[in-house]
């Protein structure tokens, strides 16, 4: 390119023009660079979006957490199912569609199905849980307007075994009973990321209890039975069963009374089991010592009542004898020595006068007497006139033998190092005396049939006549046994209660706690003690006290 | 010079367009693969849930007990079959007289040593 020399003013203009052109080129270059940069950013950002966006976590696919036993065995979980619905606006021939669907799903009612399909609604459920085979068949029908939605369904793999504790849910997976209801929020909490809920139950122990209760209620033709296994040092419920039971997978198939949890919702006059509490409070209050005694030679007449003994010894009885022979007269006299106010205060501290707090929806409060005078004091001393649930009884009994600490029961597994909320209700010495007395009942008294070779059992029988129409019925009994083992350093408590057991030839016409509930309790202990890792002891040798150490928080 | 710059810019633009198209296309494909894999994972997870439930149903104690009763000669463990190592006597420890122990099944032949009863712990 040839340059022309221009006169001075022209030259200045040319320089300015070139500068302008350079400026414009620079601006364009900057704009172009911006576009390039932006394109680059978009291209790389799109990749980032692709790697992070649609990862679905377990929490969003499962709407309810699993429930597992203390060793992680599955008690409740969710499985995906196909739920069939229809868009009735797009069904051409409701009659034909209904007939075809009923041929595959015979449990549906053809007339009501036809009404649904001709309703013109955009969404009607037809069946909520299809099996894979049914799903395939429905698809092969090729009916327009049918649709399938993926849903989750709650299933209980162990079925009846833990039905009353675990509970069940409705069709929309909302808890209706048991732990499912009591901890509904916790189970549906997305913040927990689907972490399973660990119960204190031991499925093996639970099975043994359910199995033995079913066998006992069949043997004694009882209308029902319940059993609880409790860790006396931690308050954890290892097993809780109620007979008759139901299948939580199909709760509506069983009559309503099978869903009644006798362990927590039933309240019963426990009978002689209460003599344990009467004796413990009398000893703890210092009203009697273990060497004192009471006159049990004559029945007590008070008002229109006569208190007499079931196995009358008709003589002066020492405190251990009153306990061992289960003397009503002796217990009534001991309770009167303690006094109504103190009796009430002690029973309240034992948790027997208010509903227990446990993570199950069905918990009944105790039935208290309308007034609490001398008559009530005497009858309550041997377990009549105050109705409590078996769970309350078990918890209070645990406090009698574990060194005197009242520990709230729980159905959730406790962490081994976490402190246990415990409240001292009787002294350690009284608790030691109670252990000896309870052992005496089994080794010498009414509870002999509960003893197990290798695992010495301590316990108390209870036989109460059921109140029917304002009177006590002689033939309708509530027979129970509360056993603790190993007797002198108890680790576990087993409660068995049979509702209206009938005598058999083997029981020589008796249906009392010692003849029905005690042997059942013994069989349960014989089966579960090896599972719980207890080393059998020779009867002569008492091992060193080596129970679990618990941190006591005084929250009196 | 301007022409050369224009040409270079044009070439760069075409190259960038092609590069962008290629990257976008690869991204889409990766996205599709990812979705397919995630669906597979989800399906596997559902299968695992179902299998876990089924397994728990099949190994429930009530069923195992019934099966064991029908097919095996096994019985429940009794207390007399459980002991600890320190309760098993050593030959050299004790003289030979052996009184019977309550609750222990009679041995097939008379042992020469008396069992030690000490050191029970649980």
């Amino acid at each position: 390119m040839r340059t022309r020399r221009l006169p001075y003013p022209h030259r200045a203009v040319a320089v300015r023009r070139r500068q302008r052109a350079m400026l414009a080129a620079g601006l364009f270059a900057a704009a172009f660079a911006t576009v390039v940069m932006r394109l680059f950013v978009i291209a790389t950002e799109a990749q980032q979006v692709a790697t992070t966006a649609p990862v679905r976590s377990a929490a969003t696919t499962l709407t309810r957490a699993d429930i597992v036993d203390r060793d992680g065995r599955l008690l409740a979980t969710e499985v995906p199912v196909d739920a069939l619905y229809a868009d009735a606006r797009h069904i051409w021939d409701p009659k034909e569609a209904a007939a075809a669907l009923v041929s595959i799903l015979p449990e549906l009612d053809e007339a009501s199905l036809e009404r649904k399909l001709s309703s013109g609604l955009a969404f009607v459920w037809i069946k909520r849980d299809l099996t894979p085979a049914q799903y395939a068949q429905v698809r092969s029908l090729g009916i327009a307007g049918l649709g399938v939605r993926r849903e989750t369904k709650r299933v209980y793999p162990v079925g009846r075994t833990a039905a009353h504790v675990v509970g069940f849910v409705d069709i929309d997976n909302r808890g209706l009973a048991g732990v499912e209801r009591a901890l509904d929020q916790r189970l549906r909490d997305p913040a927990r990321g689907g972490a399973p809920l660990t119960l204190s139950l031991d499925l093996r122990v639970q099975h043994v209890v359910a199995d033995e209760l079913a066998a006992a209620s069949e043997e004694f033709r009882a209308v029902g039975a319940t059993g609880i296994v409790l860790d006396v040092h931690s308050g954890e419920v290892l097993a809780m069963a109620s007979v008759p039971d139901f299948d939580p997978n199909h709760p509506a198939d069983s009559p309503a009374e099978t869903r009644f949890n006798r362990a927590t919702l039933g309240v019963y006059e426990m009978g002689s089991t209460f003599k344990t509490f009467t004796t413990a409070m009398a000893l703890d209050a210092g009203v009697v010592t273990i060497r004192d005694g009471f006159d049990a030679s004559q029945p007590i007449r008070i008002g229109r009542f006569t208190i007499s003994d079931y196995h009358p010894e008709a003589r002066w009885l020492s405190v251990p004898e009153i306990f061992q022979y289960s003397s009503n007269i002796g217990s009534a006299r001991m309770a009167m020595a303690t006094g109504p106010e103190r009796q009430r205060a002690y029973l309240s501290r034992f948790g027997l006068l208010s509903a227990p707090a446990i993570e199950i929806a069905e918990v009944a409060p105790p039935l208290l007497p309308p007034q609490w005078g001398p008559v009530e004091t005497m009858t309550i001393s041997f377990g009549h006139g105050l109705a409590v649930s078996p769970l309350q009884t078990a918890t209070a009994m645990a406090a009698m033998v574990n060194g005197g600490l009242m520990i709230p029961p729980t159905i959730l597994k406790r962490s081994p190092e976490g402190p246990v909320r415990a409240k001292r209700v009787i002294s350690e010495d009284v608790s030691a005396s109670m252990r000896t007395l309870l052992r005496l009942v089994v080794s010498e008294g009414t509870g002999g049939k509960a003893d197990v070779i290798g695992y010495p059992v301590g316990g108390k029988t209870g036989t109460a006549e059921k109140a029917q129409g304002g009177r006590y019925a002689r033939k309708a009994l509530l027979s129970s046994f509360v056993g603790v083992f190993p007797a002198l350093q108890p680790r576990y408590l087993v409660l068995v209660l049979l509702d209206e057991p009938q005598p058999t030839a083997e029981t020589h016409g008796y249906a009392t706690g010692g003849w029905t509930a005690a042997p059942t309790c013994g069989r349960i202990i014989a089966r579960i003690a090896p599972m719980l890792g207890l080393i059998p002891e020779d009867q002569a040798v008492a091992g060193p006290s080596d129970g679990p150490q618990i941190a006591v928080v005084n929250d009196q | 010079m301007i022409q050369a710059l224009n040409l270079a810019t044009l070439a760069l633009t075409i190259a960038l367009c092609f590069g962008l198209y290629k990257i976008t296309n690869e991204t889409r494909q990766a996205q599709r693969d990812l979705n397919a894999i995630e669906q597979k994972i989800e399906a596997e997870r559902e299968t695992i849930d179902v299998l876990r439930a089924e397994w728990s149903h099949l190994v429930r104690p009530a069923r195992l007990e019934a099966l064991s009763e029908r097919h095996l000669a096994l019985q429940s463990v009794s207390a007399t079959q459980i002991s600890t190592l320190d309760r098993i006597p050593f030959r050299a420890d004790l003289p030979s007289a052996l009184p019977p122990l309550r609750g222990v099944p009679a041995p097939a032949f008379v042992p020469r040593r008396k069992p030690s009863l000490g050191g029970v712990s649980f």
Side-chain angles (χ1 to χ4, degrees):
Chain A
M1 206 187 277
R2 225 184 57 187
T3 54
R4 280 186 299 162
R5 257 184 185 274
L6 293 169
Y8 170 68
H10 293 100
R11 200 177 153 191
V13 170
V15 166
R16 231 177 292 140
R17 274 185 193 149
R18 193 174 295 156
Q19 279 174 341
R20 276 197 209 122
M22 290 296 280
L23 183 68
L27 283 173
F28 272 106
F32 196 70
T34 313
V35 170
V36 168
M37 293 266 288
R38 183 68 195 136
L39 282 173
F40 182 74
V41 167
I42 287 170
T44 48
E45 253 182 13
Q47 262 180 331
Q48 273 175 5
V49 169
T51 50
T52 55
V55 178
R56 275 193 288 169
S57 68
T60 56
T61 50
L62 297 181
T63 54
R64 255 183 119 74
D66 289 349
I67 300 177
V68 298
D69 88 337
R70 63 185 303 117
D71 296 323
R73 300 182 193 89
L74 213 51
L75 300 175
T77 188
E78 294 204 319
V79 293
V81 288
D82 295 308
L84 183 64
Y85 67 91
D87 182 346
R89 295 171 306 181
H90 297 143
I91 301 279
W92 284 6
D93 185 347
K95 197 172 170 61
E96 193 189 293
L101 283 172
V102 168
S103 71
I104 295 169
L105 309 164
E107 64 273 31
L108 297 179
D109 176 45
E110 193 171 338
S112 74
L113 184 59
E114 198 186 319
R115 262 200 310 283
K116 275 190 195 169
L117 294 179
S118 49
S119 65
L121 294 172
F123 190 91
V124 280
W125 282 121
I126 296 176
K127 191 162 186 302
R128 292 291 281 273
D129 49 336
L130 291 182
T131 65
Q134 287 172 332
Y135 175 54
Q137 284 176 306
V138 169
R139 266 176 66 124
S140 71
L141 286 177
I143 302 174
L146 292 182
V148 162
R149 213 158 86 169
R150 205 75 163 143
E151 287 198 322
T152 57
K153 185 191 177 201
R154 197 74 162 159
V155 293
Y156 303 93
V158 297
R160 296 169 177 270
T161 305
H164 289 99
V165 175
V166 176
F168 53 91
V169 295
D170 67 5
I171 187 101
D172 293 316
N173 279 353
R174 282 183 299 246
L176 285 187
V179 170
E180 291 272 35
R181 179 167 181 180
L183 298 178
D184 194 39
Q185 291 303 318
R186 152 75 180 80
L187 288 165
R188 296 197 297 176
D189 188 0
R192 289 179 186 265
L197 178 71
T198 307
L199 301 188
S200 59
L201 287 190
D202 184 320
L203 184 59
R204 301 165 305 169
V205 177
Q206 176 73 25
H207 162 69
V208 169
V209 173
D211 191 46
E212 290 294 344
L213 286 181
S217 66
E218 196 184 312
E219 183 184 353
F220 300 111
R221 303 190 305 283
V223 298
T226 183
I228 297 173
V229 177
L230 193 70
D231 182 325
V232 300
H233 294 292
S234 69
E236 291 173 292
V237 175
L238 266 68
M240 181 189 280
S242 179
V243 173
D245 55 13
F246 65 97
D247 183 354
N249 292 303
H250 310 284
D253 292 358
S254 310
E257 62 264 24
T258 61
R259 300 197 284 273
F260 183 83
N261 185 355
R262 284 165 203 270
T264 52
L265 200 53
V267 291
Y268 307 100
E269 294 174 296
M270 294 299 293
S272 310
T273 312
F274 262 58
K275 287 171 188 159
T276 320
F277 309 134
T278 305
T279 311
M281 67 179 76
L283 290 173
D284 191 66
V287 177
V288 295
T289 69
I290 203 88
R291 276 172 289 280
D292 288 336
F294 289 93
D295 179 15
S297 58
Q298 295 292 322
I300 303 174
R301 277 177 228 291
I302 178 161
R304 57 192 180 90
F305 294 95
T306 304
I307 294 168
S308 55
D309 279 351
Y310 198 79
H311 318 276
E313 294 284 320
R315 59 182 172 87
W316 189 274
L317 294 176
S318 70
V319 169
E321 281 175 325
I322 288 171
F323 201 65
Q324 186 181 334
Y325 300 125
S326 206
S327 163
N328 293 342
I329 303 167
S331 293
R333 291 203 191 285
M334 208 187 300
M336 284 313 282
T338 310
E341 288 80 30
R342 256 196 297 205
Q343 183 191 40
R344 198 170 176 167
Y346 269 107
L347 291 178
S348 171
R349 286 161 71 184
F350 297 168
L352 293 166
L353 302 186
S354 53
I358 191 163
E359 304 82 356
I360 293 180
E362 300 80 14
V363 175
L367 286 180
L368 305 181
Q371 75 258 25
W372 203 303
V375 177
E376 288 76 24
T377 299
M378 287 194 197
T379 59
I380 287 170
S381 79
F382 51 87
H384 281 75
L386 172 63
V388 300
S389 64
L391 177 69
Q392 284 177 290
T393 312
T395 315
M397 280 298 268
M400 299 301 105
V401 299
N402 69 4
L405 299 172
M406 186 74 196
I407 296 162
T410 180
I411 201 73
L412 303 181
K413 188 179 183 179
R414 286 200 203 280
S415 71
E417 62 273 10
V420 175
R421 263 176 56 230
K423 197 158 77 175
R424 176 157 299 286
V425 291
I426 56 170
S427 74
E428 239 166 273
D429 292 345
V430 173
S431 180
S433 304
M434 293 317 297
R435 291 198 287 264
T436 316
L437 289 178
L438 288 168
R439 175 65 192 146
L440 206 60
V441 170
V442 174
S443 60
E444 318 281 339
T446 53
K449 294 194 178 302
D451 213 7
V452 178
I453 290 170
Y455 300 102
V457 176
K460 185 76 191 83
T461 56
T463 309
E465 288 160 6
K466 277 171 93 170
Q468 287 175 341
R471 304 177 59 85
Y472 285 108
R474 283 250 152 231
K475 291 287 166 201
L477 300 180
L478 276 167
S479 301
S480 61
F481 185 82
V482 185
V484 296
F485 68 98
L488 297 180
Q489 300 90 33
R491 293 277 302 275
Y492 301 101
L493 174 147
V494 179
L495 178 146
V496 172
L497 180 138
L498 297 172
D499 192 349
E500 293 189 32
Q502 303 302 315
T504 66
E506 284 90 66
T507 66
H508 310 287
Y510 290 106
T512 56
W515 283 96
T516 58
T520 307
C521 186
R523 275 197 292 273
I524 290 174
I525 292 173
R527 283 174 74 179
I528 67 174
M531 287 179 191
L532 294 168
L534 295 179
I535 303 297
E537 42 184 292
D538 294 307
Q539 309 271 336
V541 183
S545 179
D546 194 23
Q549 299 298 308
I550 48 168
V552 175
V553 179
N554 204 337
D555 64 350
Q556 226 147 353
Chain B
M1 199 193 89
I2 292 290
Q3 269 178 343
L5 190 68
N6 280 349
L7 278 175
T9 313
L10 192 67
L12 185 66
T13 309
I14 290 168
L16 280 174
C17 280
F18 182 74
L20 182 66
Y21 168 76
K22 198 170 174 310
I23 287 174
T24 312
N25 207 31
E26 277 172 4
T27 310
R28 283 210 193 106
Q29 185 56 44
Q31 183 81 62
R32 274 195 293 273
D33 291 350
L34 186 69
N35 284 348
I37 289 169
E38 263 162 12
Q39 263 176 20
K40 263 192 198 162
I41 292 174
E42 192 56 37
E44 291 295 335
R45 192 175 283 151
E46 283 180 354
T47 311
I48 290 170
D49 283 342
V50 173
L51 289 175
R52 240 161 43 96
E54 198 166 325
W55 171 255
S56 306
H57 182 66
L58 291 175
V59 300
R60 66 191 191 277
R63 180 171 177 272
L64 288 188
E65 193 174 73
L67 287 177
S68 157
E69 267 168 32
R70 200 179 324 148
H71 300 294
L72 303 174
L74 296 176
Q75 291 188 338
S76 296
V77 175
S78 84
T80 54
Q81 294 166 295
I82 305 171
S83 196
T84 52
L85 202 58
D86 54 354
R87 293 163 88 179
I88 299 170
F90 279 99
R91 277 187 159 227
D93 284 355
L94 288 159
S96 59
L98 180 71
L101 268 178
R102 226 182 106 196
V104 176
F109 56 91
V110 179
R112 280 171 297 177
R113 305 288 171 196
K114 185 180 175 181
S116 152
L117 290 178
V120 186
S121 64
F122 55 91

